[in-house]
Amino acid sequence: EKALPPNHPDLAGSHLSFAACYEKMGDYAAALKILQSAFKIQQKAFQEGNPAFASTHSWLGEVYRSMKDYSKALDNFEKSLAIDLKTLPEKHPYQAITYSDIGDIHRLMGNYEETLAFHQKALNIQENVQCNPLECATTYINLGEIYREMKDYSTALTYYQKGLEIREKKLPKNHPDLAVVYHNMAKLYLATRKYSMAMKNVQQAVEIAQEKLPSTHPHLLEYKETFEKIREKM
């Protein structure tokens, strides 16, 4: 900041990195504030539709999703996708990521048909183009969530297991992204009254989150809440 003018585009990139850290720590308000600063810098530095905006819109979508402001999340993910569709080759992996993000927002808004359609668009790219396997895993896990909410538990479990298998191969054993899947599976087993399996999975989620996340992180608090629900049933 001392070496660069206040509207230099490199500062926007630094802001995105800081915002990502705050988002992972669960401090969504701080992440949002930094992202909004980055966006203002980019607006002064770039023409509308510049590829640089795609990443910022994507991060804004992530943060708004975490803050449960789904309409703003959807708006930002759609803006990110529009830029990527114009500026990237057809069936680029980044487009698949955003399709899956948009699908997940539709799930959170209760639009299940749209959810499945967007996740399928993501998989059409991810299963046929060389993508980061972890991106494909996220789509599988997102599909698991939608099928769990639709009470198609066997299909949900299949997708969770596909996503988990990839994450367990590619990530450290105590990675927070593994906790997310364990928690999702715990909720599925709770819904199907398989309480011992539910407890096993939620304990794994809580242990990872306690080690890796701040004590006030929304994910850890949610995992503990699920733990209590399962404990009451046993």
Side-chain angles (χ1 to χ4, degrees), residues 172-188:
K173 288 184 178 180
N174 58 355
H175 195 286
D177 285 355
L178 287 173
V180 171
V181 197
Y182 294 139
H183 180 244
N184 290 347
M185 292 175 74
K187 289 188 290 184
L188 183 150

Side-chain angles (χ1 to χ4, degrees), residues 112 144-156 191-192:
Y112 292 162
E145 279 291 87
I146 181 65
Y147 280 111
R148 180 183 64 81
E149 290 189 8
M150 293 169 69
K151 296 183 169 55
D152 184 346
Y153 297 122
S154 61
T155 305
T192 54

Side-chain angles (χ1 to χ4, degrees), residues 58 62 65 74 77 81 92-108 114-126 134-146 167:
S58 183
E62 293 275 357
R65 170 169 51 192
L74 183 60
F77 282 133
L81 179 63
H92 191 282
Y94 286 177
Q95 294 163 5
I97 294 169
T98 311
Y99 281 137
S100 190
D101 282 327
I102 291 172
D104 195 47
I105 297 299
H106 279 298
R107 173 186 68 84
L108 292 163
E114 289 92 337
T115 299
L116 292 172
F118 275 100
H119 286 325
Q120 192 55 56
K121 284 184 177 184
L123 285 183
N124 287 344
I125 297 172
Q126 290 169 334
L134 288 169
E135 293 164 6
C136 202
T138 298
T139 303
Y140 288 143
I141 292 157
N142 286 344
L143 277 163
E145 279 291 87
I146 181 65
R167 285 189 177 178

Side-chain angles (χ1 to χ4, degrees), residues 14-228:
S14 299
H15 285 347
L16 292 184
S17 298
F18 281 119
C21 291
Y22 279 116
E23 197 274 339
K24 284 179 169 43
M25 290 166 61
D27 191 343
Y28 305 131
L32 180 60
K33 186 176 179 181
I34 293 171
L35 285 169
Q36 288 169 335
S37 296
F39 188 66
K40 286 177 183 175
I41 293 169
Q42 289 175 331
Q43 282 181 311
K44 291 177 180 176
F46 301 122
Q47 294 284 329
E48 187 177 346
N50 186 289
F53 285 110
S55 180
T56 309
H57 280 305
S58 183
W59 272 111
L60 281 164
E62 293 275 357
V63 171
Y64 279 123
R65 170 169 51 192
S66 296
M67 297 175 80
K68 297 182 168 56
D69 190 339
Y70 301 133
S71 60
K72 286 184 180 176
L74 183 60
D75 180 57
N76 277 281
F77 282 133
E78 286 176 340
K79 285 176 178 174
S80 178
L81 179 63
I83 294 168
D84 282 346
L85 289 173
K86 284 182 180 178
T87 59
L88 295 174
E90 188 179 0
K91 294 191 174 180
H92 191 282
Y94 286 177
Q95 294 163 5
I97 294 169
T98 311
Y99 281 137
S100 190
D101 282 327
I102 291 172
D104 195 47
I105 297 299
H106 279 298
R107 173 186 68 84
L108 292 163
M109 297 174 81
N111 306 325
Y112 292 162
E113 282 187 28
E114 289 92 337
T115 299
L116 292 172
F118 275 100
H119 286 325
Q120 192 55 56
K121 284 184 177 184
L123 285 183
N124 287 344
I125 297 172
Q126 290 169 334
E127 292 184 336
N128 296 293
V129 176
Q130 191 167 11
C131 289
N132 181 340
L134 288 169
E135 293 164 6
C136 202
T138 298
T139 303
Y140 288 143
I141 292 157
N142 286 344
L143 277 163
E145 279 291 87
I146 181 65
Y147 280 111
R148 180 183 64 81
E149 290 189 8
M150 293 169 69
K151 296 183 169 55
D152 184 346
Y153 297 122
S154 61
T155 305
L157 187 58
T158 298
Y159 277 116
Y160 285 150
Q161 288 170 335
K162 287 175 81 168
L164 180 61
E165 183 180 358
I166 295 169
R167 285 189 177 178
E168 285 183 331
K169 282 181 182 176
K170 299 289 182 182
L171 297 174
K173 288 184 178 180
N174 58 355
H175 195 286
D177 285 355
L178 287 173
V180 171
V181 197
Y182 294 139
H183 180 244
N184 290 347
M185 292 175 74
K187 289 188 290 184
L188 183 150
Y189 287 124
L190 175 60
T192 54
R193 300 180 182 179
K194 295 179 179 176
Y195 300 128
S196 61
M197 290 294 290
M199 180 57 76
K200 177 187 172 186
N201 278 275
V202 81
Q203 283 176 330
Q204 287 177 289
V206 170
E207 284 170 12
I208 292 171
Q210 284 178 328
E211 181 183 348
K212 290 294 183 179
L213 300 178
S215 60
T216 56
H217 195 289
H219 286 187
L220 176 56
L221 300 178
E222 186 184 2
Y223 301 164
K224 286 182 174 179
E225 187 179 324
T226 303
F227 176 89
E228 289 302 324

